[in-house]
Amino acid sequence: MIKKITPVFWSNLAVFLICSSSMLIPRSNYAGAIILLASTAAHARLLRPVQPLPKDVKYFFISLCLLALSWSIDGFLSGRGITSIEKPLKIVLVIPCFYYLRLNPPKTEWLWRGCIIGCVGAATLAAYHIFFVGLPRAGQGYINENFFGGISLLLALLCACAWLDPAWKSKNKRLLLLLGFVCGLFASILSGSRGSWLVFLIILMLVGFWQIRQKKGKTILLISSLFMATAVFVWSVPQFRVQQRVQMAYDEVHAFYKNGTNDTSVGARLAMWSQGYRLYKEKPVFGWTQKGFKDEWLQWIEREQVDPWLKEVVHLHSDMIDTAVKRGTVGLIIMLSCHVTCF
């Protein structure tokens, strides 16, 4: 006899797909979100909350709505018309999906399984790109290499978090989580995403600080030893290109401050951030809007004889600086409130 498909089934499937397929096929990260949204619409009559929402959740929803509103206003002022609501709409749709997940919470095992499969798949794809196709960075030309590295690291860290789940303390499950963590970290290294490497170092320091507070000296020693061994290994293997990427970053920073070179990866970012800070100081409250930013940006390029390829810039490679320039301090506070209230 076929069992009836319950709403929880769709929650499990959505969570699993979001984690397992996000790095394997371009735009496949929409699959889980679409399933969740469709299931939310199909069970709309069941979305009445059984109990009042906690205050922190309400504050988070308010922050999301304000973020969507600020994006919409910016879009309309920039002359984008009805397309201005496309991105904000995706933010607002998080709210009914949250209600659905709250009433039909997925089982954590499907989250962990999705993370493990996602990490293994990302590592396989990364190895194929580097060792068989010969790409300089995993994900290049397929999925943005920086996104690839960042999300691979995120999935790896989720596998690490699963160690705290009492239901995943068996030896076999711990081995699967360790496999997922190693594969996710491996994929992030092969992506050449220096930003994700920096985040990983910061997280390691936070974990070390927490272990010190817990007075767990053996754990600190183990983590430090594993980190040092891994760092020496990836630094010494040429195929990982870690040493090359770090040296390249150092040379580009030096060239920017010494000669003003801005046609490199790091040099371009430094030029964007310095110019973005200048624009922010001119309109610090509400910002320039997307259109105003683009017009002023092109004038700056022509006036300062900056490398022409910077004309194509639509984002300043920093959410905080980009938001501050386009939507001012008001928009920046709204964006930061979303990060704060979600905790």
Side-chain angles (χ1 to χ4, degrees), residues 48-227:
R48 296 177 182 178
V50 293
Q51 57 185 358
L53 290 173
K55 285 186 177 180
D56 52 350
V57 175
K58 293 180 180 178
Y59 293 149
F60 179 55
F61 285 172
I62 292 173
S63 299
L64 288 179
C65 292
L66 289 175
L67 181 65
L69 179 62
S70 68
W71 283 353
S72 299
I73 294 174
D74 184 3
F76 279 111
L77 291 177
S78 298
R80 297 180 58 192
I82 194 64
T83 59
S84 302
I85 66 172
E86 178 188 356
K87 189 176 179 181
L89 182 61
K90 296 176 182 177
I91 295 294
V92 174
L93 289 176
V94 169
I95 297 176
C97 291
F98 175 89
Y99 273 106
Y100 181 85
L101 289 175
R102 189 166 185 262
L103 296 176
N104 305 284
K107 296 181 179 179
T108 53
E109 61 183 295
W110 288 101
L111 173 63
W112 308 140
R113 289 171 180 172
C115 291
I116 293 170
I117 293 177
C119 286
V120 173
T124 303
L125 184 62
Y128 172 74
H129 282 172
I130 298 298
F131 302 117
F132 291 92
V133 180
L135 295 177
R137 298 176 63 184
Q140 187 173 354
Y142 183 73
I143 298 172
N144 180 281
E145 52 267 34
N146 292 322
F147 291 162
F148 184 87
I151 295 179
S152 296
L153 178 63
L154 173 62
L155 293 175
L157 293 174
L158 286 174
C159 288
C161 291
W163 278 63
L164 301 176
D165 188 344
W168 278 69
K169 287 191 175 181
S170 67
K171 182 178 180 180
N172 291 336
K173 289 183 177 180
R174 284 288 177 85
L175 287 175
L176 288 174
L177 292 174
L178 180 60
L179 173 65
F181 176 78
V182 171
C183 286
L185 190 58
F186 175 74
S188 180
I189 291 172
L190 291 184
S191 73
S193 175
R194 291 169 295 207
S196 64
W197 302 346
L198 180 60
V199 168
F200 182 63
L201 291 177
I202 294 173
I203 290 175
L204 275 182
M205 289 189 290
L206 292 175
V207 171
F209 177 75
W210 177 65
Q211 292 295 329
I212 291 173
R213 293 286 300 273
Q214 299 294 318
K215 298 181 179 179
K216 296 182 178 181
K218 292 183 179 179
T219 305
I220 296 174
L221 180 61
L222 177 61
I223 293 176
S224 301
S225 300
L226 289 175
F227 170 71

Side-chain angles (χ1 to χ4, degrees), residues 251-325:
D251 293 340
E252 291 175 358
V253 170
H254 181 72
F256 175 80
Y257 285 109
K258 184 177 181 180
N259 305 316
T261 305
N262 53 38
D263 59 350
T264 62
S265 177
V266 177
R269 284 171 170 79
L270 293 173
M272 292 179 201
W273 297 342
S274 60
Q275 174 63 7
Y277 178 64
R278 185 190 70 79
L279 292 176
Y280 168 70
K281 289 193 298 182
E282 293 185 13
K283 292 188 176 182
V285 181
F286 297 109
W288 289 81
T289 74
Q290 296 179 59
K291 184 179 184 301
F293 158 75
K294 193 64 178 179
D295 293 341
E296 184 65 20
W297 185 260
L298 293 176
Q299 291 179 19
W300 169 69
I301 290 176
E302 294 179 1
R303 183 172 61 249
E304 301 294 333
Q305 298 296 309
V306 181
D307 197 279
W309 77 271
L310 286 174
K311 291 182 178 180
E312 307 301 323
V313 168
V314 294
H315 190 277
L316 295 178
H317 283 271
S318 167
D319 284 339
M320 291 184 62
I321 296 177
D322 189 77
T323 300
V325 170

